[in-house]
Amino acid sequence: MKESKRYKKSLSIKTKSITVSILIIAFVLVMGWPQFVPISEEQVNEKKHEVDELNTLTYSVAEGTLNEIATQTTTIYDIKDVIKTFSITNINKIIGEVSVTERQFPNGDSLLFVDFQSPKNDNVFSVNIGKSSAILKEEMINTPIKELYSFRKNRKNTDPLSTRLTYIETKEISLLMGAQVMYKNLTHTYEENDETSTVYQFLEESHNYNMTKDGLEIHVQANKSSASTWAMLSEVSLFSKEELTNAHKIGVDEFRWITPNATLSHGLASIFPAHPDAFVHSLVRQSGRSSALELGKESSRFFENMNRHQFKSLEDSRSKDGLWYSNYTSTWLEKKYNIGSNYVDSRHNDNIFRSQLRRAEILGYENYAQNIEVYANFLLKMVEEGYTIPTDHGLYLIDYFDLNNKMLTHVSLNHALSLMNYLYFAYIETGNVSYLSTANLQLAALIDTGDAWINDDANEVNYQLNRNGTFSGRDYNLVTYYDLLYTKQLLQQLGKQKVPIVDKLILVKKNNLLQRNIEYEINNENIEDLIGLIE
C-alpha cells in the first residue's frame, strides 16, 4: 500500500473575493454540471485480479435440497465478488433461497456473506470451510457500546444486537466472524411514488459454528424469517490480541452487521416502519471513517481487507448521480418537512466522500481522486436551485435534500460547517474558484448569524437555525467542536484573517466540554481525522 499524502498537505493560498453567482453561472454555461461517471471497465480491470477461492467452500442445508441457480462476478479495481444464488426445494416446492457472496481481495483473503431466507419453516444453511484442522486459538469479545463510547447520547430504544466478534485460528486458516442474525423484513412501499422505506426487525442472534472432520462449519438458522452473517477468511493470522481488541471497538459501529452493500445499525425511535428492534442501512457507519484511519496508520492485513470491502460496498450502493441516498423514512423529517424515504443527508455524504477518497488514495486507486468534484458540484447545484437559507451577506445550505420535493429544512451548525469545509477542501485540491466563492458565502452567513448560535443561559451552542430565523436544540458534544477546529485550520491554510465568531464558538464548546468532563485537548494538525465521528 502506498502512503497517503493528501491528508498531510499544508498549503498557504492567498485568494481574492469573487461573487459566487457570477462564478456559478459562468461555470455552468461553459462546462455544464459535471456528472458522476461510474467506474469504467478499463478502471475495473486496471489491476488484474488473480485471486482464486481461498478454500474449497461447500454448502448444505438441514431440510430440503440445495440447488445452485446462478453464479455471477463483479469487479471494482482489485476487488472481486463471486455471487452464488441457491434455491431450497422439498418435493419440487421452493421452501427457501440463499445468496452467498465471496468478496475476494488481492492478498488472497476474502470476506464471506450469507443471506438466507426460509419463509415457511425452520431450517439451517451451513457453510463448510475446507482445509481446516483443530482450533488453535479461539477468542470472543463482547464489550458493551456504553463502555467503549461513554460520551454518546442515551437512546430511547435498547440495541438488541450484541457487539460480539469471534476470532478463530487453525493451522491452515484464521477467520473473524460476526453474529448470525435472524431478522424480518419490514420494508414499506408507498403507493403514491413507489418509494420504499427499508427497515429490518431484529429477531435473534446466534454464534453457531463447529469443527468437523471435513473442516470448520458455520451454521445460519432461519425460522419463518431471513438470516444473515459474515466472516473474514485468511490463510495467515489476521490479529494479535491487541489488534483484535482495537478492531472490535471500531467494529461495534462499522462491521457488527454487514452485508455486501450495507452496514445495518439499530434505528432511532423516529423511523417508519417502527419497531423497537428495527435496523436500518446506516450511511455514517458504512463510511468506515475509523477503519480508513487505521489503514493510514500502519500496515494491517485486517484493515486493508476491511477497507477494500468498505470501498466496494459503498460503490455498489452508490446512486447513478454519484451520491448516497438514505433509504428509510424518518418520521420527524416526514412530519416537519414532508420528506420521504429517498433523500440526501448532506452530512452523511460528506463523511462518505472523505472516507472513500482517503482509502482510495492509500489503496492506490489513483483515478478515484476526481470524485472530489462530484459532491462539490452537487452542492453548487443546490445553491443555484435555492436549497438555502439566506442571510444578509451570505447563505446556508440546508441539512437534507429531497430532490423530488423542494422543501427547505433547518440548518444545523455541524452540517453547515461540514459543507463549507468540504468546499474549501475541494478548492484546495482542485483550484476551482466556484468552490471557494460558495464556501465564502457560507462563512459570511456564519458571521452574519454570529452570537445567535450561542445559548448564554446554558453555556452551550444551539443545534440548529430554523427557517423562521429562530435557533433551537442542544448541540452535539464533540462533532461540531471538531468541525470548528477544522474550519479554523482551513481558513489558516487559505491565508484568511481570523474570524472572531469561529474562535468564540470554539471557546464556548471548550467550556461546555470542560463542564461535562469530556476530554477536548487534541493535536490540531490531525483534526481532519476526527471529522464526522459518530456521537
Side-chain angles (χ1 to χ4, degrees):
M1 294 183 295
K2 78 175 192 176
E3 182 183 21
S4 175
K5 297 178 181 178
R6 171 176 295 124
Y7 299 95
K8 295 182 180 179
K9 284 186 177 180
S10 178
L11 303 180
S12 178
I13 302 174
K14 300 282 185 180
T15 63
K16 57 183 179 180
S17 177
I18 304 174
T19 304
V20 69
S21 57
I22 297 174
L23 283 168
I24 293 178
I25 293 170
F27 179 78
V28 175
L29 290 176
V30 175
M31 302 297 294
W33 287 112
Q35 299 297 310
F36 164 64
V37 179
I39 296 173
S40 67
E41 288 300 317
E42 290 77 14
Q43 293 167 342
V44 162
N45 296 313
E46 186 179 84
K47 295 186 176 182
K48 184 173 175 57
H49 200 289
E50 299 178 342
V51 177
D52 295 324
E53 289 191 33
L54 174 68
N55 292 285
T56 303
L57 300 176
T58 57
Y59 314 103
S60 61
V61 65
E63 180 183 340
T65 302
L66 194 63
N67 312 284
E68 185 171 340
I69 299 172
T71 298
Q72 66 179 102
T73 62
T74 64
T75 306
I76 293 179
Y77 292 104
D78 53 4
I79 313 160
K80 179 182 178 180
D81 282 359
V82 179
I83 307 159
K84 296 184 178 182
T85 54
F86 302 86
S87 68
I88 302 171
T89 57
N90 189 7
I91 316 176
N92 297 323
K93 291 184 179 180
I94 295 177
I95 61 172
E97 296 179 348
V98 186
S99 174
V100 178
T101 300
E102 186 183 6
R103 180 155 289 165
Q104 300 175 349
F105 307 123
N107 61 6
D109 297 354
S110 66
L111 197 54
L112 184 70
F113 298 95
V114 175
D115 190 74
F116 174 33
Q117 299 176 29
S118 185
K120 296 182 180 180
N121 63 336
D122 186 1
N123 209 347
V124 178
F125 176 81
S126 299
V127 180
N128 183 285
I129 304 167
K131 303 180 183 178
S132 299
S133 56
I135 293 174
L136 302 177
K137 179 188 290 187
E138 186 174 15
E139 298 182 22
M140 290 159 281
I141 303 183
N142 190 20
T143 309
I145 294 176
K146 198 63 179 176
E147 289 185 25
L148 297 170
Y149 300 102
S150 59
F151 61 85
R152 291 185 181 172
K153 295 179 180 179
N154 292 323
R155 303 277 293 276
K156 181 178 180 180
N157 294 332
T158 301
D159 189 336
L161 179 61
S162 78
T163 72
R164 175 174 164 176
L165 292 176
T166 303
Y167 179 59
I168 290 175
E169 286 187 8
T170 73
K171 185 177 179 181
E172 292 86 6
I173 66 167
S174 66
L175 72 157
L176 183 72
M177 291 186 288
Q180 295 105 40
V181 180
M182 196 184 300
Y183 68 93
K184 180 181 179 181
N185 193 334
L186 301 181
T187 297
H188 175 79
T189 300
Y190 295 90
E191 293 181 0
E192 60 269 26
N193 55 19
D194 286 331
E195 288 186 356
T196 58
S197 179
T198 305
V199 179
Y200 305 102
Q201 177 191 344
F202 170 94
L203 297 176
E204 62 180 81
E205 71 175 281
S206 57
H207 301 267
N208 294 326
Y209 60 91
N210 68 295
M211 185 64 69
T212 73
K213 61 182 179 60
D214 298 317
L216 182 71
E217 287 190 344
I218 302 173
H219 308 289
V220 185
Q221 181 182 12
N223 187 2
K224 298 179 181 179
S225 66
S226 298
S228 170
T229 195
W230 66 270
M232 183 182 291
L233 296 84
S234 178
E235 290 182 336
V236 300
S237 177
L238 286 169
F239 295 110
S240 67
K241 175 65 175 178
E242 183 178 339
E243 290 169 338
L244 177 59
T245 301
N246 182 48
H248 171 265
K249 183 174 182 178
I250 292 171
V252 299
D253 285 328
E254 297 184 3
F255 41 88
R256 248 196 315 164
W257 183 2
I258 53 176
T259 72
N261 60 4
T263 297
L264 300 177
S265 177
H266 188 226
L268 299 173
S270 57
I271 63 169
F272 176 81
H275 194 281
D277 294 336
F279 278 69
V280 294
H281 182 180
S282 172
L283 290 175
V284 66
R285 287 166 172 78
Q286 189 182 9
S287 70
R289 182 191 71 88
S290 294
S291 291
L293 292 174
E294 289 298 315
L295 181 67
K297 288 179 182 178
E298 58 186 56
S299 179
S300 164
R301 192 177 189 93
F302 172 79
F303 279 110
E304 181 180 341
N305 293 343
M306 186 53 67
N307 274 277
R308 281 194 163 90
H309 153 67
Q310 289 166 332
F311 183 85
K312 191 172 193 301
S313 172
L314 284 162
E315 293 306 309
D316 285 351
S317 59
R318 195 173 187 179
S319 177
K320 291 181 180 180
D321 62 4
L323 303 176
W324 283 267
Y325 285 73
S326 298
N327 68 347
Y328 59 90
T329 299
S330 163
T331 54
W332 70 269
L333 280 178
E334 183 180 47
K335 289 176 182 177
K336 192 166 186 177
Y337 304 120
N338 196 31
I339 290 178
S341 60
N342 187 44
Y343 60 92
V344 176
D345 183 313
S346 63
R347 186 78 213 220
H348 290 346
N349 275 263
D350 173 78
N351 292 336
I352 292 172
F353 274 97
R354 288 183 182 279
S355 292
Q356 286 292 78
L357 289 164
R358 182 188 292 270
R359 62 173 54 96
E361 182 171 327
I362 298 172
L363 293 171
Y365 307 153
E366 294 181 0
N367 59 346
Y368 192 82
Q370 64 189 358
N371 282 271
I372 293 172
E373 299 178 80
V374 174
Y375 193 42
N377 291 337
F378 171 77
L379 295 178
L380 263 61
K381 186 177 181 180
M382 293 300 96
V383 170
E384 183 190 294
E385 294 185 2
Y387 287 88
T388 62
I389 293 181
T391 64
D392 290 341
H393 304 95
L395 56 85
Y396 284 116
L397 278 160
I398 60 174
D399 282 17
Y400 304 99
F401 306 109
D402 183 347
L403 304 185
N404 298 318
N405 173 24
K406 190 175 178 180
M407 179 65 71
L408 298 183
T409 72
H410 62 271
V411 172
S412 61
L413 185 56
N414 81 89
H415 280 245
L417 292 169
S418 78
L419 299 183
M420 178 180 72
N421 291 344
Y422 187 89
L423 287 170
Y424 278 137
F425 159 75
Y427 168 69
I428 291 171
E429 293 297 323
T430 68
N432 187 329
V433 291
S434 295
Y435 303 157
L436 173 66
S437 301
T438 307
N440 284 342
L441 275 183
Q442 292 169 278
L443 180 62
L446 182 63
I447 295 170
D448 284 344
T449 47
D451 288 357
W453 282 107
I454 301 171
N455 182 339
D456 290 322
D457 294 336
N459 186 35
E460 63 183 22
V461 172
N462 290 312
Y463 177 75
Q464 69 185 50
L465 166 63
N466 301 305
R467 293 179 299 180
N468 63 4
T470 62
F471 291 79
S472 61
R474 178 182 173 274
D475 192 34
Y476 288 110
N477 290 323
L478 291 169
V479 172
T480 313
Y481 173 61
Y482 294 149
D483 289 332
L484 286 162
L485 292 177
Y486 185 41
T487 297
K488 186 172 182 177
Q489 182 188 80
L490 288 168
L491 295 176
Q492 289 172 345
Q493 288 182 356
L494 291 164
K496 290 181 174 290
Q497 295 180 347
K498 285 188 175 182
V499 179
I501 187 57
V502 173
D503 290 330
K504 189 170 185 178
L505 287 169
I506 289 173
L507 181 60
V508 173
K509 292 298 295 184
K510 279 185 177 180
N511 289 337
N512 188 259
L513 290 169
L514 182 63
Q515 180 180 322
R516 296 177 184 277
N517 199 30
I518 298 174
E519 178 61 40
Y520 62 85
E521 295 291 347
I522 60 166
N523 180 355
N524 284 359
E525 290 184 5
N526 300 325
I527 184 59
E528 191 179 355
D529 293 352
L530 297 171
I531 297 305
L533 89 165
I534 296 170
E535 189 166 348

